[in-house]
Amino acid sequence: MTRNVVLTLGILFSFYSCEQDVSLVTESAHDLPLPRWAEAAVMYEVNTRNITAEGTFNAFKSHLPRLKSLGIDIVLMTPIHPISLKKRKTQNKSQTTLTSEQSEEKRVYGNPYSVADYNMVNPHLGTMEDFKSVVADAHRRQMRVIIDWVPRHTGLEHKWRTQHPEWYITDKRGNITESIIPDIGTNYGGTDIALLNYDNQNMKAAMIAAMKYWVIEADIDGFRIDMAHDIPNDFWSQMKTEFLKLPKEVFILADSEVAYHRNSGAFHATYGWSFYRLANDIAQGSKSVKDIKKWLKKDRKKYKKGFGLNFTSSHGKRSTTETAVERMGKAHHAMAVMAATIDGMPLLNNGQEIPLEHKISLSEKDTISWHTINYQEFYKSLFEFKGECTALRNKGGAELEFISKSNEVLAFRKQNSYDDVVVIINLTDQTQKYSLNVNFKYFRNIHTNNLVDAIAGEEREIEAWKYYVLDGSYGR
């Protein structure tokens, strides 16, 4: 049976087959429903300022055909709002207050997480109509757009500071707290922000109204919630109630690893920082297959709903010199394969497909060079297969089964009524011997198209950091 026929049958009968998993059973009518388009989606993070030389919405649109070809389903855009001028951050972490003209001349645009207005777009990136055009173009290509939302704090020049000072946390003297927690006195994220007061009901209502505005006005498809762990849980319950009233389903991702966020049904996914740390430790030789098994067991016990977001690179890490390639060396492809095939949704950061030679600055103009894209085909094969294979779905995918006793070679299988996948990855910088405890025949290597067989108990060798993603639908 061909993959297209298998996939079609999988879609037609999914509710009666592989989607009958634990997460579906534990969901309730009060949860935010997962949009169907997110069930097997791959996410791509975009820094609009730096993905093109122009640094605009209109210029970014030229990347959408390539991203569609890459197998990307969801485009995550880092904050698109105006940035506060006061005490703007630069890459060397010095703080200064700049006029708009000085900022443009110095090409120091500041920290995009220092939002000056939740209901506007950053004029450096374009107009609201330009942004809507990006969303519409993505939708025409069957892609979705979510935006990075920053509800924990605003920039120092947000209009709420003067119009509603009671909406902010204040010190004992009544002064608005600029990222210093009262009674603790420690810096909590920079000097260019002011913390919002989530004891104020009017502020919470205004925050939710601003979020709903972007769904209704710009037709976006959801949000990444920055630093969700620092906001009281009652707000997420309130957000969920209001989002259930929206005219469309949205995808909500928490920048956190808080179990409540997913288990409450307010979020569909949480950031996989534990996966990120594990992948880095494996690449550096300090963790192995037994640690993956421990991580999976702990993850499944912690979360009853939703899934994690797996990544090997993130803008959230402060080092400006660590790309995935620099940090993981020759292991970076192996870790990307694990991110895309183990439980969860994979995320690719803009430029990883080149790969980047340095980590892109958040605060300054730092254009990505696209002259040569060395890993487009690697990620294309991986993500296309991820999207087509019902066994690898983010939700409703097949249960993972370990098929080797090796502690150096990760080998697992995912199979359901329609698809059968075997993944084998050498997690070391040495050639390793391993054997599988299963037989299979005529499995296709998705990166080479070669057919592969296996005999249970037969010892084989696999080179350092080598990986196989094997599609068994051709042998059925």
Side-chain angles (χ1 to χ4, degrees), residues 33-131:
L34 178 70
R36 195 158 186 80
W37 46 261
E39 290 180 357
V42 175
M43 186 178 295
Y44 187 92
E45 182 171 344
V46 170
N47 181 322
T48 308
R49 178 194 294 162
N50 291 326
I51 196 170
T52 65
E54 299 86 347
T56 63
F57 297 129
N58 286 335
F60 164 62
K61 281 199 301 183
S62 66
H63 280 267
L64 288 176
R66 183 183 65 81
L67 295 182
K68 178 65 177 179
S69 173
L70 191 63
I72 300 302
D73 306 288
I74 303 174
V75 174
L76 161 62
M77 304 184 77
T78 53
I80 60 171
H81 304 105
I83 299 172
S84 180
L85 284 169
K86 189 176 182 182
K87 297 184 180 179
R88 283 195 167 184
K89 281 187 175 182
T90 62
Q91 186 169 334
N92 63 15
K93 298 184 180 180
S94 62
Q95 282 90 30
T96 184
T97 299
L98 302 173
T99 66
S100 296
E101 292 77 13
Q102 288 173 325
S103 175
E104 179 65 28
E105 180 182 354
K106 293 177 179 291
R107 308 291 276 174
V108 177
Y109 298 144
N111 173 17
Y113 293 85
S114 177
V115 175
D117 194 317
Y118 286 117
N119 289 82
M120 295 180 65
V121 297
N122 186 336
H124 284 118
L125 306 181
T127 65
M128 180 61 126
E129 291 307 312
D130 294 336
F131 175 71

